[in-house]
Amino acid sequence: MAVKAWINKRGFRIRGKFQKMMRCIWLGHQLKVDDTNASSESLATRDYSVSGYSSRAGEMVETKVDSSNIEEAESSLRESGYLNYEEARALLGRLEYQKGNVEAALHVFEGIDVGVVTLKMKVSLSRRYEQNWRRSESDAAPPMSLHAVSLLLEAIFLKAKSLQHLGRFGEAAQSCKIILDTVESALPDGLPDNLSMDCKLQEILNKAVELLPELWKLAGDPQEAILSYRRALLYFWNLDTGTKAKLEKEFAVLLLYSGAEASPPTLRAQMEGSFVPRNNVEESILLLLILLKKFLLKRIGWDPSIFDHLAFALSVSGELRALAHQVEELHPEIMKRKEQYCMLALCHYGEGEDIIALNLLRNLLNSRDNPDCILELLLASKICGENNSSIDEGTSWAQKALAGLNGGCWQMASKANCLLGVLLSAQSRLVSSNSHRTMQQSETIEVLEAAEKMMRETDPYIVFHLCLENAEQRKLDVALNYAKQLLKLEAGSNVKEYVLLARILSAQKRFFDAETVINAALNQTGKWDQGELLRTKAKLQIAQGQLKNAVETYTHLLAILQVQFKSSGSGKKLLMTKGKWDRSLEMETWHDLANVYTSLSQFRDAEVCLSKSKAISPFSATRWYSTGLLDEAKGLHQEALRSYKKALDVDPTHVPSLISTACILRQLGGQSMPVVRSFLMDALRLDRTNPAAWYNLGLLYKADISASDVEAAECFEAAALLEESAPIEPFR
């Protein structure tokens, strides 16, 4: 009882002493604290006045003090016997900040000697928490109490907040960084678990960890923000699950969309063979997968944006199979069946698995439970437009989408009309009747032009198909205008636009202009994307009779492809579809080069090229066709015929092999005219604009006694007209 009475008595003395001190501070007077030995840091030895920063100008500041500040000051006074200069400033700054006087608070905080107090705080934290599990050599008491450390760290934090309010983000970040540097230097192995008992200190650290990366982002320094996020997540700050999840999501978003390429993280504790992200996208995927796992373990609530960001990250990195796997694992309550099927279809479509994607969409669209599926209808019709076996089905879906829109969203209606036009164009190429084909070609142009008129902003996809359709119908001047418009729209960022423009110019027999376009494209394109451009350039050189230049261009192209494959083998990941396309490009380049060597009578070189092609794919219709040309150039007509037949065994729709087979059969004789004619008619059914097919059909009619001269003349006339507008390569 005597001790309790003494404490109560002592407490009243401290409270009275503190109130006198605070009154003195506000009024700008000096006050000696009795019953304590005034140190060099005591407020009693210094003058300080903040009367110029009162909440109302010209009025005396009220002497009423926040009760929480009084209690904290009492704790400091009980432990140390006096309230030093820095602690007093910390209390005053907090009061001003709470009143909203940001400039006054900043003025007070700037009077704290941060360099001196941080050193003392480091020693205090180190001694206090390390002694719990290992004794230091010296058992001396820490220079600061825990209340004082919390008070001063809060002052530094509020200083950073004040600077943030004033728009001085860089200075605010530097101030906030001092807090983390101090604690991390004092406790390099992370915060101890028992720090959570000191709620005030833990709260300040949590706020500082969250604030620092935000300040660096506001200061326009994404690299420092990235380092701050890594520091927040790699150091053991005792963060609660919600705060850590928030930081992980913010960091993933910064990595994905900031545009700043961060260096790979250096992990202090890293197991051998563990995964270390190599770039921004990989690091963001890792963070988002961690968040997704936390949700599945029910540690955090569901946030739809997490999966949206993960879908984007996996898409741009080409990991669509991984994305499909994540979609399949989601609970039906999180992602509805319609959305899940659509996402899976997009993933498989992106991986080139069109049939799987189409079957998923069929299951969805044939269900009566999903009446509003405009997006899914458009996707299904797009896939059908790229698959000749499902053209009619795709057309019906595109028309259904247009009926469902009923003049609604102009963007969707424009895209639906464009897809319908693409499907009608594909239908017209399969029609045998000339009148029916002409009618469908006219309807295709009308639908595509309707799609163009609906656009409020020009859509490159629609312009491209308008250009392509006009070029195929030999409306070359109209197609050329669309090609120029397309090149201007996308600022020359797409290789296929340059190639299409060059082919249109080549159809107008402007080979020099076409080669100039390709050279300009090569100057603006990275080496890995120059393949199709170089192949087009070689074709243009062949058309101009520059065979040796064409050989050099093909050799350059093959060298680039070889370096590209070696680079991809050493760790640079390419998209699977792009990798397949590059292998196909290499194979076709060997075939082209073999044909050039054949025309130059360099048969040995041609054979080497064909052996290179065979190593890539032994089953290639084009390779057997090139082999047939080589045999034919050697005078081995029977061997050539066998090669052409093998090409047709691999691909019955290979038009050059159909024409060459007909030519060999006509030359060798012994075959009836109807058999030869059937090969040529099959070729024309597949490609009505092939001049070689029409020319050889004319020769067949001319040699046939039963055929009229008019039929032969018509074929020769069609061949001549088509040859005048034939591009170096098919437009499509």
Side-chain angles (χ1 to χ4, degrees), residues 3-71:
V3 174
K4 185 175 181 181
W6 181 84
I7 290 174
N8 290 335
K9 182 179 179 182
R10 182 69 175 173
F12 281 120
R13 289 183 62 193
I14 291 173
R15 180 177 293 274
K17 185 190 328 179
F18 173 72
Q19 288 177 341
K20 286 175 66 179
M21 180 183 291
M22 293 303 297
R23 192 178 300 112
C24 173
I25 292 170
W26 284 115
L27 296 175
H29 296 158
Q30 296 186 38
L31 177 68
K32 291 187 178 181
V33 183
D34 55 342
D35 299 329
T36 60
N37 296 323
S39 71
S40 60
E41 293 186 58
S42 175
L43 190 67
T45 62
R46 306 193 185 189
D47 287 328
Y48 179 68
S49 173
V50 292
S51 58
Y53 294 92
S54 62
S55 57
R56 292 184 295 277
E59 295 184 11
M60 185 65 68
V61 180
E62 296 181 7
T63 58
K64 184 179 180 181
V65 182
D66 192 337
S67 61
S68 63
N69 293 337
I70 293 176
E71 290 172 1

Side-chain angles (χ1 to χ4, degrees), residues 527-544:
K527 282 193 179 295
W528 293 162
D529 298 320
Q530 290 183 353
E532 193 63 29
L533 293 171
L534 288 169
R535 187 167 183 241
T536 303
K537 181 178 180 178
K539 293 277 186 181
L540 289 167
Q541 290 168 336
I542 292 170
Q544 297 173 81

Side-chain angles (χ1 to χ4, degrees), residues 629-647:
L629 291 179
L630 178 60
D631 292 334
E632 198 172 348
K634 291 178 180 179
L636 307 173
H637 297 291
Q638 289 292 344
E639 286 80 356
L641 184 60
R642 281 194 289 270
S643 296
Y644 294 141
K645 286 184 177 179
K646 286 181 180 178

Side-chain angles (χ1 to χ4, degrees), residues 680-709:
L680 293 172
M681 294 306 294
D682 284 343
L684 287 172
R685 179 178 55 81
L686 294 166
D687 182 8
R688 298 290 299 182
T689 60
N690 193 302
W694 285 108
Y695 176 73
N696 283 285
L697 187 61
L699 291 176
L700 186 65
Y701 283 139
K702 184 179 178 182
D704 188 359
I705 300 173
S706 61
S708 66
D709 293 337

Side-chain angles (χ1 to χ4, degrees), residues 481-525:
N481 288 332
Y482 278 121
K484 290 178 179 178
Q485 182 185 352
L486 189 63
L487 206 61
K488 189 175 180 181
L489 269 176
E490 297 200 327
S493 61
N494 200 329
V495 169
K496 68 178 182 179
E497 296 160 6
Y498 283 109
V499 172
L500 181 57
L501 176 58
R503 288 175 182 174
I504 292 169
L505 290 169
S506 72
Q508 295 179 326
K509 308 308 174 191
R510 296 166 59 182
F511 299 117
F512 180 79
D513 292 340
E515 192 171 351
T516 302
V517 168
I518 294 298
N519 287 332
L522 287 169
N523 291 332
Q524 299 178 27
T525 308

Side-chain angles (χ1 to χ4, degrees), residues 81 102 149 265 274 306 406 462-463 493 571 641 709 726:
V102 176
V149 171
S274 60
I306 292 174
N406 195 22
I462 296 174
V463 176
S493 61
L641 184 60
D709 293 337

